[in-house]
Amino acid sequence: MSHRLLAATEVLSLLVRRGETVAVAESLTAGLICAALTGPSGASAAFLGGVVSYSTELKHRLLDVPADLLAREGAVHPKVAAAMAEGVRLLAGSTYGLAVTGVAGPDPQDGKAVGTVHLAVSGPEGRVWHRDPRLAGTRDQIRESTVNEAVDLLRGVLETNVREHSG
């Protein structure tokens, strides 16, 4: 079993065991995270859906990312990832929202270097977890690495929360 499928299976198992759900907001990965999380059978028990918000305007209109934040920082920023995660969580009514934004290349965007990626998970009670890896490689490699980073971040959040809730 591939690392990605194993990680996605673990994420879904943790969510199902606790009766929780996840929704995803993707920019540079354009649906690859949704595909990874729906690979394991039974994914529909915990995966509600996703939004591909490739354009900056859609991040604002669909996910309620503040227009002033987007104007000030651009679409590739940790606070934008956090706002996307919260926006998709609220839109879907899920327990967790997972979001990614970044630059896969081949060219920089808004002054941000290729390989700049921001990931965030929004959870209950307004908690947000984030990761800001610097990734290298081709456009496809950066996108694939982003999927792995995102699934791993969500798994880490869920595993930490299991320990916090179990005593």
Side-chain angles (χ1 to χ4, degrees):
M1 186 178 294
S2 73
H3 168 75
R4 177 182 296 168
L5 186 58
L6 182 61
T9 301
E10 290 172 3
V11 161
L12 294 166
S13 176
L14 286 165
L15 289 167
V16 168
R17 227 177 304 152
R18 297 187 342 219
E20 296 177 333
T21 56
V22 67
V24 177
E26 301 183 61
S27 187
L28 79 149
T29 50
L32 294 173
I33 296 169
C34 289
L37 289 175
T38 57
S41 62
S44 61
F47 180 80
L48 296 185
V51 171
V52 174
S53 55
Y54 218 63
S55 77
T56 301
E57 176 60 23
L58 211 53
K59 287 173 181 63
H60 172 65
R61 281 200 346 248
L62 269 182
L63 300 172
D64 207 26
V65 177
D68 62 328
L69 172 63
L70 291 165
R72 185 177 63 250
E73 302 294 348
V76 181
H77 191 271
K79 289 182 180 176
V80 172
M84 289 171 63
E86 178 69 0
V88 78
R89 186 177 77 79
L90 294 173
L91 181 67
S94 58
T95 313
Y96 294 93
L98 171 62
V100 298
T101 186
V103 184
D107 300 313
Q109 176 186 331
D110 298 331
K112 306 294 186 340
V114 172
T116 302
V117 174
H118 302 289
L119 307 99
V121 172
S122 170
E125 301 167 9
R127 290 193 64 186
V128 176
W129 298 263
H130 63 88
R131 185 179 291 175
D132 304 309
R134 278 289 297 174
L135 303 175
T138 66
R139 177 178 174 79
D140 287 342
Q141 289 168 332
I142 289 170
R143 293 174 78 205
E144 288 296 317
S145 294
T146 300
V147 173
N148 293 335
E149 290 279 344
V151 174
D152 286 346
L153 173 60
L154 180 57
R155 181 176 56 187
V157 166
L158 295 171
E159 288 173 346
T160 298
N161 282 348
V162 165
R163 285 192 294 278
E164 287 176 0
H165 288 57
S166 63

